[in-house]
Amino acid sequence: MSKDDTHLTQSLPPTILTIFGATGDLSADYLIPALLHMDEHKLLPKTFKLVCVGRRELTAKSYLDFILKKSHVVKKLSPSKKARFLKHLTYYAGDFEHVEHFTELAKILADADKPKHVCYNRLFYFATSPQQFAAITKILKSAGLLTACAAHERKTRILVEKPFGFNLKSAQSLNQLLLRYFTEDQIYRIDHYVGKETIQNLMVVRFANSLFEPLWNNRFIDHIEISVLEKDGAGGRINFYNQTGAIKDFLQNHIVQMLALIAMEEPYNLTAEFIRNEKLKVLQALEPFTTEKLSSRLIKGQYRGYKNEAASSAAGAGENGTETFFALKTYINLPRWSGVPVYLRTGKRLNKKLTEISIHFREPVRCLFEGCAANVLTFQIQPDESVHLQINNKIPGFGVRLHHGDLEFGYNRAFSGEIPGAYERLLLDFMEGDQRLFIRSDEIEASWRFVDSITENPTFRSLPLYEYRPGSSGPKEADEWMRKDAKDWWTN
Ligand code: BG6
């Protein structure tokens, strides 16, 4: 983080951020840690208030203690940091099913404006399950929380967490609901992967270097791979995960968003509209699955022990076909990408946590030497944020033997200081009113249309579910399936 960042946020208008669902895991592990860190580094607006809303009866102080106990990220705070954060914080208890619980909240927000006759921008973070979005929107409307400020025009924005619906139909009704009360420029649909520093670097590497763009097409690229490997299992979120599975949890959002940034055309400029227009074209061009393609282009897996985890939780025992792993092949039906297979894969309880995008260039048409390897450009998104290019070099000595070496750029090696967390970046953009890293309604719907072609197909549930050992690299069937295409996973 640089001094410029501090400068920028300190000049933001007075802001009051209300988090609905403030006692949940997301708040404990991501939102409050991000806000604490921003507070410490003076990245919050100069005049800033935070209202945390949950069902439990708590005070601001006991809320913060509750979060510190619950959080896996921040466990301790020095008394001075705690005192500073508490200055911003109000806790409010209410049940979303009861609009009348929220009249006092309206008063808290209105009172913020009074003392100095300032008009706070009102930002609302929906950190709850999507089933509660309708109730919260109703609360905002009927408690008068969306009204304008007498003195100036205030900005009211909402930030909506994923999952944004469970299929195309539910996502469309969610969009319709939100668009009844808000305009598209007030709605911030989050995908925290897009906020990761290394994902933002994708556009920079592609469009700021003249080296890659001429080669970025089906003449030079053989295939694309995106692998998101996770070490953890479904854990405390098993009830949610059991209803979604890996495809809805990861493909619909994080993975297709990364793919869109890799495959899109250069936007005319860097405004949210132009960037999102280009991403949308890729999402709309993803080749839908047919029943026939489902059996040949998709592998589903489940880690051993998942059923027991589910059985001992509220998700319950019984038939459990939830996939905790998938690998699939698809195509992008655009002239630039015609015929280039795209391999996408994610899984839980694997041997490591690693997110990588690799672009596999074609091998030289004729290799003069023995042992030429294809060039591969790899973006390691996490944990070691870096970019790699595999090239052939000569091994020193007599004769000509090739070495497949790595040109590497590592964030941690090139820069000192911390890389900003995705939630900090996105919260800042939300406060600033910058929608570039947020997802537009049509992008969401296009990606659900693609995912629905898999998960809403009746055949989907009857496809084999291959078991894999926790701590392995996934089901062996996924490796064998890849070998049928004469390929190995790059990321293993
Ligand atoms: C969430 C998914 O969106 O992202 C989780 O619902 C997943 O299943 C998580 O574990 C991964 O995020 P990150 O930033 O740790 O890679």
Side-chain angles (χ1 to χ4, degrees), residues 160 162 164 175 178 184 187-195 252-254 256-258 260-261 272-273 276 279-280 283 426 434-448:
V160 187
K162 80 175 262 278
F164 198 89
N175 273 332
L178 297 179
E184 183 64 44
I187 307 172
Y188 289 64
R189 297 173 196 79
I190 198 169
D191 183 317
H192 79 280
Y193 264 60
V194 184
Q252 183 273 330
N253 36 67
H254 309 324
V256 296
Q257 279 294 323
M258 290 191 266
L261 289 164
E273 271 330 271
R276 300 195 287 184
K279 283 195 320 186
L280 177 65
L283 299 171
L426 294 166
D434 183 342
Q435 286 190 305
R436 280 181 288 191
L437 302 180
F438 292 86
I439 320 300
R440 209 167 54 190
S441 57
D442 45 9
E443 286 182 78
I444 294 265
E445 292 183 14
S447 54
W448 272 122

mmCIF file of all heavy atoms in Angstrom, residues 160 162 164 175 178 184 187-195 252-254 256-258 260-261 272-273 276 279-280 283 426 434-448:
data_model
loop_
_atom_site.group_PDB
_atom_site.id
_atom_site.type_symbol
_atom_site.label_atom_id
_atom_site.label_comp_id
_atom_site.label_asym_id
_atom_site.label_seq_id
_atom_site.Cartn_x
_atom_site.Cartn_y
_atom_site.Cartn_z
ATOM 1 N N VAL A 160 -23.575 -6.506 -2.620
ATOM 2 C CA VAL A 160 -24.242 -7.796 -2.448
ATOM 3 C C VAL A 160 -23.221 -8.922 -2.551
ATOM 4 O O VAL A 160 -22.470 -9.008 -3.512
ATOM 5 C CB VAL A 160 -25.317 -7.967 -3.547
ATOM 6 C CG1 VAL A 160 -26.133 -9.206 -3.298
ATOM 7 C CG2 VAL A 160 -26.211 -6.753 -3.600
ATOM 8 N N LYS A 162 -21.777 -12.859 -2.776
ATOM 9 C CA LYS A 162 -22.125 -14.078 -3.478
ATOM 10 C C LYS A 162 -22.629 -15.103 -2.469
ATOM 11 O O LYS A 162 -22.293 -14.959 -1.298
ATOM 12 C CB LYS A 162 -20.921 -14.602 -4.276
ATOM 13 C CG LYS A 162 -19.880 -15.368 -3.446
ATOM 14 C CD LYS A 162 -18.810 -15.938 -4.306
ATOM 15 C CE LYS A 162 -19.049 -17.398 -4.622
ATOM 16 N NZ LYS A 162 -18.619 -18.329 -3.569
ATOM 17 N N PHE A 164 -24.836 -15.063 -5.863
ATOM 18 C CA PHE A 164 -25.910 -14.254 -6.406
ATOM 19 C C PHE A 164 -26.888 -15.205 -7.098
ATOM 20 O O PHE A 164 -26.818 -15.447 -8.298
ATOM 21 C CB PHE A 164 -25.340 -13.210 -7.378
ATOM 22 C CG PHE A 164 -26.312 -12.088 -7.638
ATOM 23 C CD1 PHE A 164 -26.312 -10.965 -6.830
ATOM 24 C CD2 PHE A 164 -27.241 -12.181 -8.650
ATOM 25 C CE1 PHE A 164 -27.222 -9.936 -7.030
ATOM 26 C CE2 PHE A 164 -28.157 -11.155 -8.865
ATOM 27 C CZ PHE A 164 -28.144 -10.040 -8.068
ATOM 28 N N ASN A 175 -31.979 -9.933 -9.431
ATOM 29 C CA ASN A 175 -31.682 -8.695 -10.175
ATOM 30 C C ASN A 175 -32.933 -7.827 -10.272
ATOM 31 O O ASN A 175 -32.872 -6.619 -10.063
ATOM 32 C CB ASN A 175 -31.168 -9.027 -11.579
ATOM 33 C CG ASN A 175 -29.664 -9.253 -11.587
ATOM 34 O OD1 ASN A 175 -28.946 -8.689 -10.754
ATOM 35 N ND2 ASN A 175 -29.178 -10.061 -12.506
ATOM 36 N N LEU A 178 -33.660 -6.153 -6.889
ATOM 37 C CA LEU A 178 -32.752 -5.044 -6.558
ATOM 38 C C LEU A 178 -32.973 -3.857 -7.484
ATOM 39 O O LEU A 178 -32.945 -2.707 -7.057
ATOM 40 C CB LEU A 178 -31.296 -5.510 -6.623
ATOM 41 C CG LEU A 178 -30.903 -6.597 -5.616
ATOM 42 C CD1 LEU A 178 -29.457 -6.995 -5.800
ATOM 43 C CD2 LEU A 178 -31.130 -6.135 -4.184
ATOM 44 N N GLU A 184 -28.665 0.356 -11.545
ATOM 45 C CA GLU A 184 -27.491 -0.525 -11.695
ATOM 46 C C GLU A 184 -26.235 0.144 -11.106
ATOM 47 O O GLU A 184 -25.399 -0.527 -10.507
ATOM 48 C CB GLU A 184 -27.304 -0.858 -13.180
ATOM 49 C CG GLU A 184 -26.184 -1.821 -13.491
ATOM 50 C CD GLU A 184 -26.340 -3.239 -12.934
ATOM 51 O OE1 GLU A 184 -27.427 -3.812 -13.031
ATOM 52 O OE2 GLU A 184 -25.342 -3.763 -12.376
ATOM 53 N N ILE A 187 -25.632 -0.677 -7.473
ATOM 54 C CA ILE A 187 -25.518 -2.081 -7.037
ATOM 55 C C ILE A 187 -24.102 -2.607 -7.298
ATOM 56 O O ILE A 187 -23.628 -2.598 -8.435
ATOM 57 C CB ILE A 187 -26.549 -2.974 -7.760
ATOM 58 C CG1 ILE A 187 -27.960 -2.386 -7.607
ATOM 59 C CG2 ILE A 187 -26.497 -4.403 -7.232
ATOM 60 C CD1 ILE A 187 -29.027 -3.087 -8.445
ATOM 61 N N TYR A 188 -23.475 -3.085 -6.251
ATOM 62 C CA TYR A 188 -22.109 -3.615 -6.339
ATOM 63 C C TYR A 188 -22.159 -5.112 -6.028
ATOM 64 O O TYR A 188 -22.286 -5.504 -4.872
ATOM 65 C CB TYR A 188 -21.194 -2.882 -5.337
ATOM 66 C CG TYR A 188 -20.917 -1.462 -5.770
ATOM 67 C CD1 TYR A 188 -21.945 -0.530 -5.852
ATOM 68 C CD2 TYR A 188 -19.636 -1.069 -6.121
ATOM 69 C CE1 TYR A 188 -21.706 0.761 -6.290
ATOM 70 C CE2 TYR A 188 -19.381 0.226 -6.556
ATOM 71 C CZ TYR A 188 -20.424 1.127 -6.639
ATOM 72 O OH TYR A 188 -20.190 2.402 -7.078
ATOM 73 N N ARG A 189 -22.097 -5.941 -7.080
ATOM 74 C CA ARG A 189 -22.111 -7.402 -6.862
ATOM 75 C C ARG A 189 -20.659 -7.844 -6.778
ATOM 76 O O ARG A 189 -19.893 -7.662 -7.723
ATOM 77 C CB ARG A 189 -22.823 -8.123 -8.015
ATOM 78 C CG ARG A 189 -24.284 -7.758 -8.155
ATOM 79 C CD ARG A 189 -24.894 -8.371 -9.394
ATOM 80 N NE ARG A 189 -26.153 -7.740 -9.747
ATOM 81 C CZ ARG A 189 -26.261 -6.577 -10.374
ATOM 82 N NH1 ARG A 189 -25.171 -5.927 -10.757
ATOM 83 N NH2 ARG A 189 -27.428 -6.051 -10.635
ATOM 84 N N ILE A 190 -20.332 -8.431 -5.659
ATOM 85 C CA ILE A 190 -18.914 -8.683 -5.402
ATOM 86 C C ILE A 190 -18.490 -10.065 -5.885
ATOM 87 O O ILE A 190 -19.269 -11.017 -5.880
ATOM 88 C CB ILE A 190 -18.632 -8.543 -3.880
ATOM 89 C CG1 ILE A 190 -17.143 -8.352 -3.586
ATOM 90 C CG2 ILE A 190 -19.166 -9.722 -3.111
ATOM 91 C CD1 ILE A 190 -16.861 -7.941 -2.141
ATOM 92 N N ASP A 191 -17.242 -10.164 -6.350
ATOM 93 C CA ASP A 191 -16.577 -11.442 -6.559
ATOM 94 C C ASP A 191 -15.163 -11.194 -6.042
ATOM 95 O O ASP A 191 -14.377 -10.517 -6.709
ATOM 96 C CB ASP A 191 -16.551 -11.799 -8.049
ATOM 97 C CG ASP A 191 -15.925 -13.164 -8.286
ATOM 98 O OD1 ASP A 191 -14.893 -13.454 -7.645
ATOM 99 O OD2 ASP A 191 -16.455 -13.931 -9.099
ATOM 100 N N HIS A 192 -14.860 -11.708 -4.866
ATOM 101 C CA HIS A 192 -13.621 -11.239 -4.226
ATOM 102 C C HIS A 192 -12.374 -11.627 -5.025
ATOM 103 O O HIS A 192 -11.336 -11.000 -4.885
ATOM 104 C CB HIS A 192 -13.540 -11.673 -2.762
ATOM 105 C CG HIS A 192 -13.112 -13.096 -2.540
ATOM 106 N ND1 HIS A 192 -13.970 -14.147 -2.658
ATOM 107 C CD2 HIS A 192 -11.919 -13.637 -2.207
ATOM 108 C CE1 HIS A 192 -13.319 -15.266 -2.408
ATOM 109 N NE2 HIS A 192 -12.065 -14.996 -2.125
ATOM 110 N N TYR A 193 -12.475 -12.633 -5.920
ATOM 111 C CA TYR A 193 -11.304 -12.979 -6.732
ATOM 112 C C TYR A 193 -10.895 -11.809 -7.625
ATOM 113 O O TYR A 193 -9.724 -11.565 -7.853
ATOM 114 C CB TYR A 193 -11.580 -14.238 -7.571
ATOM 115 C CG TYR A 193 -11.043 -15.473 -6.879
ATOM 116 C CD1 TYR A 193 -11.518 -15.823 -5.630
ATOM 117 C CD2 TYR A 193 -10.046 -16.252 -7.454
ATOM 118 C CE1 TYR A 193 -11.010 -16.925 -4.965
ATOM 119 C CE2 TYR A 193 -9.534 -17.358 -6.792
ATOM 120 C CZ TYR A 193 -10.023 -17.684 -5.555
ATOM 121 O OH TYR A 193 -9.501 -18.761 -4.891
ATOM 122 N N VAL A 194 -11.895 -11.089 -8.128
ATOM 123 C CA VAL A 194 -11.610 -9.972 -9.027
ATOM 124 C C VAL A 194 -10.840 -8.867 -8.283
ATOM 125 O O VAL A 194 -10.113 -8.083 -8.887
ATOM 126 C CB VAL A 194 -12.933 -9.444 -9.642
ATOM 127 C CG1 VAL A 194 -12.676 -8.349 -10.646
ATOM 128 C CG2 VAL A 194 -13.689 -10.582 -10.320
ATOM 129 N N GLY A 195 -10.983 -8.857 -6.952
ATOM 130 C CA GLY A 195 -10.267 -7.855 -6.152
ATOM 131 C C GLY A 195 -8.841 -8.258 -5.834
ATOM 132 O O GLY A 195 -8.073 -7.462 -5.283
ATOM 133 N N GLN A 252 -19.275 -20.563 -11.468
ATOM 134 C CA GLN A 252 -20.188 -19.493 -11.890
ATOM 135 C C GLN A 252 -19.581 -18.108 -11.672
ATOM 136 O O GLN A 252 -19.924 -17.171 -12.380
ATOM 137 C CB GLN A 252 -21.508 -19.654 -11.111
ATOM 138 C CG GLN A 252 -22.592 -18.656 -11.479
ATOM 139 C CD GLN A 252 -22.477 -17.370 -10.690
ATOM 140 O OE1 GLN A 252 -22.013 -17.361 -9.550
ATOM 141 N NE2 GLN A 252 -22.891 -16.266 -11.298
ATOM 142 N N ASN A 253 -18.687 -17.986 -10.727
ATOM 143 C CA ASN A 253 -18.190 -16.650 -10.395
ATOM 144 C C ASN A 253 -16.683 -16.551 -10.607
ATOM 145 O O ASN A 253 -16.215 -16.079 -11.641
ATOM 146 C CB ASN A 253 -18.587 -16.301 -8.965
ATOM 147 C CG ASN A 253 -18.539 -17.551 -8.092
ATOM 148 O OD1 ASN A 253 -17.483 -18.107 -7.841
ATOM 149 N ND2 ASN A 253 -19.701 -18.034 -7.679
ATOM 150 N N HIS A 254 -15.900 -17.035 -9.617
ATOM 151 C CA HIS A 254 -14.452 -16.797 -9.643
ATOM 152 C C HIS A 254 -13.799 -17.300 -10.944
ATOM 153 O O HIS A 254 -13.017 -16.604 -11.571
ATOM 154 C CB HIS A 254 -13.755 -17.493 -8.467
ATOM 155 C CG HIS A 254 -14.370 -17.188 -7.127
ATOM 156 N ND1 HIS A 254 -14.882 -15.967 -6.819
ATOM 157 C CD2 HIS A 254 -14.528 -17.955 -6.011
ATOM 158 C CE1 HIS A 254 -15.338 -15.982 -5.573
ATOM 159 N NE2 HIS A 254 -15.145 -17.182 -5.069
ATOM 160 N N VAL A 256 -15.085 -18.224 -14.009
ATOM 161 C CA VAL A 256 -15.431 -17.595 -15.300
ATOM 162 C C VAL A 256 -15.016 -16.125 -15.330
ATOM 163 O O VAL A 256 -14.722 -15.586 -16.394
ATOM 164 C CB VAL A 256 -16.920 -17.778 -15.718
ATOM 165 C CG1 VAL A 256 -17.247 -19.222 -15.958
ATOM 166 C CG2 VAL A 256 -17.867 -17.130 -14.739
ATOM 167 N N GLN A 257 -14.929 -15.505 -14.168
ATOM 168 C CA GLN A 257 -14.445 -14.109 -14.158
ATOM 169 C C GLN A 257 -12.973 -14.062 -14.556
ATOM 170 O O GLN A 257 -12.550 -13.196 -15.316
ATOM 171 C CB GLN A 257 -14.629 -13.489 -12.764
ATOM 172 C CG GLN A 257 -16.050 -12.997 -12.493
ATOM 173 C CD GLN A 257 -16.468 -11.831 -13.384
ATOM 174 O OE1 GLN A 257 -15.676 -10.953 -13.697
ATOM 175 N NE2 GLN A 257 -17.712 -11.825 -13.814
ATOM 176 N N MET A 258 -12.179 -15.013 -14.044
ATOM 177 C CA MET A 258 -10.756 -15.043 -14.428
ATOM 178 C C MET A 258 -10.649 -15.304 -15.930
ATOM 179 O O MET A 258 -9.860 -14.685 -16.631
ATOM 180 C CB MET A 258 -10.002 -16.136 -13.645
ATOM 181 C CG MET A 258 -9.839 -15.807 -12.172
ATOM 182 S SD MET A 258 -8.683 -16.944 -11.353
ATOM 183 C CE MET A 258 -9.764 -18.165 -10.702
ATOM 184 N N ALA A 260 -12.813 -14.612 -18.223
ATOM 185 C CA ALA A 260 -13.255 -13.442 -19.000
ATOM 186 C C ALA A 260 -12.103 -12.434 -19.131
ATOM 187 O O ALA A 260 -11.892 -11.862 -20.205
ATOM 188 C CB ALA A 260 -14.461 -12.799 -18.329
ATOM 189 N N LEU A 261 -11.347 -12.260 -18.059
ATOM 190 C CA LEU A 261 -10.240 -11.294 -18.121
ATOM 191 C C LEU A 261 -9.103 -11.784 -19.021
ATOM 192 O O LEU A 261 -8.400 -10.998 -19.644
ATOM 193 C CB LEU A 261 -9.707 -11.016 -16.703
ATOM 194 C CG LEU A 261 -10.667 -10.185 -15.845
ATOM 195 C CD1 LEU A 261 -10.283 -10.272 -14.371
ATOM 196 C CD2 LEU A 261 -10.695 -8.730 -16.294
ATOM 197 N N ALA A 272 -15.801 1.323 -16.032
ATOM 198 C CA ALA A 272 -16.511 0.092 -15.675
ATOM 199 C C ALA A 272 -17.348 -0.410 -16.862
ATOM 200 O O ALA A 272 -17.367 -1.608 -17.150
ATOM 201 C CB ALA A 272 -17.403 0.345 -14.462
ATOM 202 N N GLU A 273 -18.017 0.491 -17.549
ATOM 203 C CA GLU A 273 -18.896 0.070 -18.641
ATOM 204 C C GLU A 273 -18.128 -0.669 -19.727
ATOM 205 O O GLU A 273 -18.517 -1.742 -20.182
ATOM 206 C CB GLU A 273 -19.611 1.273 -19.271
ATOM 207 C CG GLU A 273 -20.926 1.662 -18.638
ATOM 208 C CD GLU A 273 -21.709 0.529 -18.010
ATOM 209 O OE1 GLU A 273 -22.507 -0.115 -18.709
ATOM 210 O OE2 GLU A 273 -21.516 0.276 -16.802
ATOM 211 N N ARG A 276 -16.676 -4.051 -18.528
ATOM 212 C CA ARG A 276 -17.718 -5.057 -18.332
ATOM 213 C C ARG A 276 -18.361 -5.477 -19.656
ATOM 214 O O ARG A 276 -18.744 -6.627 -19.824
ATOM 215 C CB ARG A 276 -18.733 -4.564 -17.295
ATOM 216 C CG ARG A 276 -18.014 -4.320 -15.955
ATOM 217 C CD ARG A 276 -18.902 -4.187 -14.770
ATOM 218 N NE ARG A 276 -19.645 -2.966 -14.686
ATOM 219 C CZ ARG A 276 -20.425 -2.660 -13.647
ATOM 220 N NH1 ARG A 276 -20.536 -3.488 -12.628
ATOM 221 N NH2 ARG A 276 -21.075 -1.545 -13.602
ATOM 222 N N LYS A 279 -15.978 -8.138 -20.991
ATOM 223 C CA LYS A 279 -16.067 -9.405 -20.246
ATOM 224 C C LYS A 279 -17.357 -10.138 -20.607
ATOM 225 O O LYS A 279 -17.385 -11.348 -20.784
ATOM 226 C CB LYS A 279 -16.038 -9.133 -18.732
ATOM 227 C CG LYS A 279 -14.648 -8.823 -18.217
ATOM 228 C CD LYS A 279 -14.507 -8.915 -16.702
ATOM 229 C CE LYS A 279 -15.618 -8.397 -15.936
ATOM 230 N NZ LYS A 279 -15.596 -8.286 -14.544
ATOM 231 N N LEU A 280 -18.424 -9.342 -20.726
ATOM 232 C CA LEU A 280 -19.727 -9.943 -21.033
ATOM 233 C C LEU A 280 -19.684 -10.762 -22.328
ATOM 234 O O LEU A 280 -20.247 -11.858 -22.401
ATOM 235 C CB LEU A 280 -20.785 -8.834 -21.142
ATOM 236 C CG LEU A 280 -22.185 -9.300 -21.528
ATOM 237 C CD1 LEU A 280 -22.783 -10.195 -20.439
ATOM 238 C CD2 LEU A 280 -23.121 -8.111 -21.784
ATOM 239 N N LEU A 283 -18.354 -14.133 -21.622
ATOM 240 C CA LEU A 283 -19.277 -14.957 -20.831
ATOM 241 C C LEU A 283 -20.442 -15.450 -21.692
ATOM 242 O O LEU A 283 -20.897 -16.587 -21.558
ATOM 243 C CB LEU A 283 -19.799 -14.161 -19.625
ATOM 244 C CG LEU A 283 -18.709 -13.710 -18.640
ATOM 245 C CD1 LEU A 283 -19.260 -12.752 -17.599
ATOM 246 C CD2 LEU A 283 -18.073 -14.917 -17.946
ATOM 247 N N LEU A 426 -11.810 -3.932 -2.480
ATOM 248 C CA LEU A 426 -13.201 -3.836 -2.922
ATOM 249 C C LEU A 426 -14.030 -2.920 -2.022
ATOM 250 O O LEU A 426 -14.904 -2.191 -2.499
ATOM 251 C CB LEU A 426 -13.813 -5.233 -3.010
ATOM 252 C CG LEU A 426 -13.158 -6.108 -4.103
ATOM 253 C CD1 LEU A 426 -13.532 -7.574 -3.955
ATOM 254 C CD2 LEU A 426 -13.547 -5.617 -5.505
ATOM 255 N N ASP A 434 -16.499 3.123 -7.333
ATOM 256 C CA ASP A 434 -15.827 2.615 -8.536
ATOM 257 C C ASP A 434 -16.309 1.178 -8.789
ATOM 258 O O ASP A 434 -16.028 0.272 -8.007
ATOM 259 C CB ASP A 434 -14.308 2.636 -8.278
ATOM 260 C CG ASP A 434 -13.517 2.202 -9.506
ATOM 261 O OD1 ASP A 434 -14.106 1.583 -10.414
ATOM 262 O OD2 ASP A 434 -12.304 2.471 -9.537
ATOM 263 N N GLN A 435 -17.020 0.992 -9.901
ATOM 264 C CA GLN A 435 -17.641 -0.321 -10.143
ATOM 265 C C GLN A 435 -16.809 -1.258 -11.015
ATOM 266 O O GLN A 435 -17.269 -2.333 -11.379
ATOM 267 C CB GLN A 435 -19.002 -0.123 -10.825
ATOM 268 C CG GLN A 435 -20.069 0.389 -9.879
ATOM 269 C CD GLN A 435 -21.433 0.337 -10.514
ATOM 270 O OE1 GLN A 435 -21.617 0.890 -11.585
ATOM 271 N NE2 GLN A 435 -22.387 -0.319 -9.875
ATOM 272 N N ARG A 436 -15.589 -0.844 -11.339
ATOM 273 C CA ARG A 436 -14.820 -1.635 -12.314
ATOM 274 C C ARG A 436 -14.599 -3.083 -11.898
ATOM 275 O O ARG A 436 -14.547 -3.974 -12.725
ATOM 276 C CB ARG A 436 -13.456 -0.979 -12.566
ATOM 277 C CG ARG A 436 -13.574 0.164 -13.523
ATOM 278 C CD ARG A 436 -12.269 0.775 -13.773
ATOM 279 N NE ARG A 436 -11.816 1.527 -12.613
ATOM 280 C CZ ARG A 436 -10.774 2.345 -12.644
ATOM 281 N NH1 ARG A 436 -10.088 2.492 -13.742
ATOM 282 N NH2 ARG A 436 -10.433 3.008 -11.564
ATOM 283 N N LEU A 437 -14.445 -3.298 -10.587
ATOM 284 C CA LEU A 437 -14.164 -4.667 -10.148
ATOM 285 C C LEU A 437 -15.428 -5.385 -9.658
ATOM 286 O O LEU A 437 -15.335 -6.412 -8.994
ATOM 287 C CB LEU A 437 -13.099 -4.659 -9.050
ATOM 288 C CG LEU A 437 -11.756 -4.010 -9.418
ATOM 289 C CD1 LEU A 437 -10.795 -4.077 -8.241
ATOM 290 C CD2 LEU A 437 -11.126 -4.700 -10.621
ATOM 291 N N PHE A 438 -16.571 -4.821 -9.959
ATOM 292 C CA PHE A 438 -17.819 -5.466 -9.537
ATOM 293 C C PHE A 438 -18.572 -5.983 -10.764
ATOM 294 O O PHE A 438 -18.319 -5.543 -11.880
ATOM 295 C CB PHE A 438 -18.666 -4.481 -8.729
ATOM 296 C CG PHE A 438 -18.034 -4.151 -7.400
ATOM 297 C CD1 PHE A 438 -17.094 -3.127 -7.295
ATOM 298 C CD2 PHE A 438 -18.327 -4.894 -6.271
ATOM 299 C CE1 PHE A 438 -16.478 -2.838 -6.082
ATOM 300 C CE2 PHE A 438 -17.721 -4.617 -5.049
ATOM 301 C CZ PHE A 438 -16.791 -3.585 -4.948
ATOM 302 N N ILE A 439 -19.483 -6.894 -10.514
ATOM 303 C CA ILE A 439 -20.077 -7.646 -11.621
ATOM 304 C C ILE A 439 -21.452 -7.071 -11.985
ATOM 305 O O ILE A 439 -22.302 -6.887 -11.110
ATOM 306 C CB ILE A 439 -20.231 -9.143 -11.229
ATOM 307 C CG1 ILE A 439 -18.999 -9.650 -10.429
ATOM 308 C CG2 ILE A 439 -20.486 -10.013 -12.451
ATOM 309 C CD1 ILE A 439 -17.684 -9.561 -11.146
ATOM 310 N N ARG A 440 -21.658 -6.850 -13.259
ATOM 311 C CA ARG A 440 -22.921 -6.266 -13.716
ATOM 312 C C ARG A 440 -23.996 -7.353 -13.824
ATOM 313 O O ARG A 440 -23.665 -8.534 -13.983
ATOM 314 C CB ARG A 440 -22.680 -5.600 -15.072
ATOM 315 C CG ARG A 440 -23.577 -4.431 -15.356
ATOM 316 C CD ARG A 440 -23.085 -3.646 -16.545
ATOM 317 N NE ARG A 440 -22.892 -4.484 -17.725
ATOM 318 C CZ ARG A 440 -22.278 -4.065 -18.835
ATOM 319 N NH1 ARG A 440 -21.791 -2.839 -18.901
ATOM 320 N NH2 ARG A 440 -22.133 -4.856 -19.870
ATOM 321 N N SER A 441 -25.250 -6.940 -13.805
ATOM 322 C CA SER A 441 -26.348 -7.923 -13.815
ATOM 323 C C SER A 441 -26.272 -8.851 -15.036
ATOM 324 O O SER A 441 -26.476 -10.062 -14.915
ATOM 325 C CB SER A 441 -27.700 -7.222 -13.774
ATOM 326 O OG SER A 441 -27.815 -6.333 -14.861
ATOM 327 N N ASP A 442 -25.925 -8.295 -16.205
ATOM 328 C CA ASP A 442 -25.915 -9.157 -17.401
ATOM 329 C C ASP A 442 -24.746 -10.158 -17.371
ATOM 330 O O ASP A 442 -24.855 -11.260 -17.908
ATOM 331 C CB ASP A 442 -25.914 -8.330 -18.700
ATOM 332 C CG ASP A 442 -24.937 -7.171 -18.694
ATOM 333 O OD1 ASP A 442 -24.136 -7.092 -17.750
ATOM 334 O OD2 ASP A 442 -24.971 -6.355 -19.636
ATOM 335 N N GLU A 443 -23.651 -9.781 -16.718
ATOM 336 C CA GLU A 443 -22.531 -10.740 -16.582
ATOM 337 C C GLU A 443 -22.962 -11.919 -15.716
ATOM 338 O O GLU A 443 -22.683 -13.074 -16.022
ATOM 339 C CB GLU A 443 -21.343 -10.078 -15.868
ATOM 340 C CG GLU A 443 -20.546 -9.102 -16.665
ATOM 341 C CD GLU A 443 -19.393 -8.600 -15.810
ATOM 342 O OE1 GLU A 443 -18.382 -9.299 -15.650
ATOM 343 O OE2 GLU A 443 -19.512 -7.478 -15.281
ATOM 344 N N ILE A 444 -23.633 -11.588 -14.620
ATOM 345 C CA ILE A 444 -24.105 -12.643 -13.705
ATOM 346 C C ILE A 444 -25.036 -13.592 -14.454
ATOM 347 O O ILE A 444 -24.919 -14.810 -14.367
ATOM 348 C CB ILE A 444 -24.888 -12.026 -12.516
ATOM 349 C CG1 ILE A 444 -23.977 -11.183 -11.631
ATOM 350 C CG2 ILE A 444 -25.662 -13.085 -11.745
ATOM 351 C CD1 ILE A 444 -23.409 -11.873 -10.438
ATOM 352 N N GLU A 445 -25.947 -13.001 -15.215
ATOM 353 C CA GLU A 445 -26.937 -13.846 -15.894
ATOM 354 C C GLU A 445 -26.278 -14.695 -16.978
ATOM 355 O O GLU A 445 -26.595 -15.868 -17.138
ATOM 356 C CB GLU A 445 -28.082 -12.981 -16.436
ATOM 357 C CG GLU A 445 -28.889 -12.396 -15.281
ATOM 358 C CD GLU A 445 -30.103 -11.580 -15.696
ATOM 359 O OE1 GLU A 445 -30.507 -11.647 -16.868
ATOM 360 O OE2 GLU A 445 -30.661 -10.877 -14.812
ATOM 361 N N ALA A 446 -25.309 -14.117 -17.690
ATOM 362 C CA ALA A 446 -24.630 -14.899 -18.741
ATOM 363 C C ALA A 446 -23.862 -16.073 -18.112
ATOM 364 O O ALA A 446 -23.861 -17.185 -18.657
ATOM 365 C CB ALA A 446 -23.679 -14.009 -19.527
ATOM 366 N N SER A 447 -23.237 -15.841 -16.963
ATOM 367 C CA SER A 447 -22.472 -16.953 -16.391
ATOM 368 C C SER A 447 -23.405 -18.018 -15.820
ATOM 369 O O SER A 447 -23.105 -19.205 -15.891
ATOM 370 C CB SER A 447 -21.427 -16.479 -15.385
ATOM 371 O OG SER A 447 -22.007 -15.698 -14.413
ATOM 372 N N TRP A 448 -24.545 -17.598 -15.283
ATOM 373 C CA TRP A 448 -25.502 -18.618 -14.822
ATOM 374 C C TRP A 448 -26.060 -19.426 -15.997
ATOM 375 O O TRP A 448 -26.327 -20.609 -15.889
ATOM 376 C CB TRP A 448 -26.666 -17.996 -14.038
ATOM 377 C CG TRP A 448 -26.386 -17.858 -12.569
ATOM 378 C CD1 TRP A 448 -26.396 -16.708 -11.838
ATOM 379 C CD2 TRP A 448 -26.063 -18.918 -11.642
ATOM 380 N NE1 TRP A 448 -26.097 -16.976 -10.518
ATOM 381 C CE2 TRP A 448 -25.887 -18.328 -10.370
ATOM 382 C CE3 TRP A 448 -25.896 -20.299 -11.768
ATOM 383 C CZ2 TRP A 448 -25.552 -19.070 -9.233
ATOM 384 C CZ3 TRP A 448 -25.570 -21.041 -10.632
ATOM 385 C CH2 TRP A 448 -25.394 -20.426 -9.380
#
